[in-house]
Amino acid sequence: MSFAADAKTELCRTKLARTCCAQAEVCGVLLYCNQFSPRQVRVITESAAFAQRLPQLFHKAFGIRFDELGEGEGKRVLSIQDPEKCRTLWERCAFDLTGPAHHINFGLLEERCCRLAFLRGAFLAGGSVTDPLKSYHLEFSTNHYNVSRELATLLEELGFPPKSSTRKSNYITYFKHSQSIEELLTALGAPVAAMGLMNTKAEKFLRNGVNRRVNCEAANVGKTVDAALEQRRAIRVLRQAGVLETLSPKLQEAAALREENPELSLAQLAELCSPPVTKSSLSHRLRKLITLSQELA
């Protein structure tokens, strides 16, 4: 199962304890489902857990049963066509009794628990969350403009300021910040999914840190190799010109150590000097050898 499917399955395990919260969750489902009008309700989902929760949820909230449950594998379509049932749901959840526009009925969302229940229903019906291994993104998608604006206000009041955009004919309310997604999933009733996101983020941080260190070390090794090659070329030029034997003992020692230990760093090479010298001192001696060789060119 995907990360989003696991998160929705976890949310569906939330108990239907209070009627007011069940009603709020139903409203979230209806305003973010495939179709909601005074004539028909259609909820399409690939989540088996959500499809199992819906009949219990609607009955707990309004004593309403679905006309079709869409049994089977894959996408399931649960629908209500009965005019009286649809009219009841429209009057309670669409809120605009004078026209076809959809609005959030804030009268059902006075308590914080009911507001979170509404968001849970909206996410189950029209939300998604990206696998944190790929990116951080949680969104609510609806084709009702007013609902999208009102949802953003609701989230803001709950302490989750979202961003908004459009995608084709849908209005998207979304989050990109991992901490906001973690906190929202926890508030909606999916703490395990939130913890999974946090663990993945920590693993990515550690992995990126290791990669940075490996890349840095590889770059340093490359620089050491390049420097050692240049130094050995200079020493060879000086020897072939008969100059190396005329240099001071310190320069001759530096040359001998570099030729014998081409793979060592300056710090390691400096410790082999007799007596040991600083990295800076040895670097100065090797640069002197390079300068002398360049003067012979």
Side-chain angles (χ1 to χ4, degrees), residues 197-211:
L197 192 154
M198 285 186 276
N199 290 339
T200 299
K201 183 170 65 172
E203 290 173 5
K204 287 168 68 175
F205 177 80
L206 290 173
R207 191 181 303 114
N208 290 338
V210 170
N211 289 338

Side-chain angles (χ1 to χ4, degrees), residues 53-104:
R53 180 179 179 82
L54 282 169
Q56 304 171 36
L57 179 64
F58 274 64
H59 188 262
K60 173 75 174 180
F62 300 111
I64 289 177
R65 300 186 184 278
F66 281 88
D67 297 327
E68 294 181 10
L69 293 176
E71 303 289 348
E73 300 294 331
K75 286 187 177 181
R76 297 175 62 175
V77 180
L78 294 87
S79 62
I80 298 173
Q81 294 91 25
D82 182 271
E84 187 171 342
K85 294 179 184 177
C86 291
R87 185 166 53 253
T88 298
L89 293 172
W90 181 262
E91 290 174 353
R92 296 301 303 273
C93 296
F95 197 54
D96 189 342
L97 305 181
T98 62
H102 296 69
H103 290 275
I104 295 176

Side-chain angles (χ1 to χ4, degrees), residues 111-224:
E111 302 293 332
R112 178 180 173 83
C113 58
C114 294
R115 294 185 170 204
L116 293 175
F118 174 86
L119 293 175
R120 181 167 55 249
F123 180 76
L124 287 169
S128 65
V129 58
T130 304
D131 188 330
L133 284 172
K134 300 176 181 178
S135 63
Y136 304 121
H137 183 90
L138 183 148
E139 70 175 37
F140 299 82
S141 175
T142 180
N143 55 10
H144 308 307
Y145 173 69
N146 292 326
V147 172
S148 179
R149 291 185 60 189
E150 292 159 4
L151 181 80
T153 300
L154 176 61
L155 286 163
E156 185 94 34
E157 291 176 353
L158 287 169
F160 302 105
K163 295 182 179 180
S164 301
S165 68
T166 57
R167 185 188 304 131
K168 296 182 179 180
S169 60
N170 292 321
Y171 301 96
I172 311 299
T173 307
Y174 68 95
F175 298 87
K176 285 286 189 183
H177 195 278
S178 61
Q179 185 174 347
S180 298
I181 297 173
E182 293 163 10
E183 293 175 353
L184 183 57
L185 285 174
T186 300
L188 296 185
V192 175
M195 184 61 68
L197 192 154
M198 285 186 276
N199 290 339
T200 299
K201 183 170 65 172
E203 290 173 5
K204 287 168 68 175
F205 177 80
L206 290 173
R207 191 181 303 114
N208 290 338
V210 170
N211 289 338
R212 281 193 296 270
R213 287 195 294 273
V214 169
N215 291 336
C216 182
E217 289 172 4
N220 289 336
V221 169
K223 291 178 182 179
T224 298

Side-chain angles (χ1 to χ4, degrees), residues 11 14 16 20-30 50 53 57 109 114 117-122 124:
L11 288 175
T14 305
L16 302 173
C20 59
C21 290
Q23 292 178 345
E25 187 172 331
V26 166
C27 289
V29 170
L30 292 173
F50 184 39
R53 180 179 179 82
L57 179 64
L109 310 181
C114 294
F118 174 86
L119 293 175
R120 181 167 55 249
L124 287 169

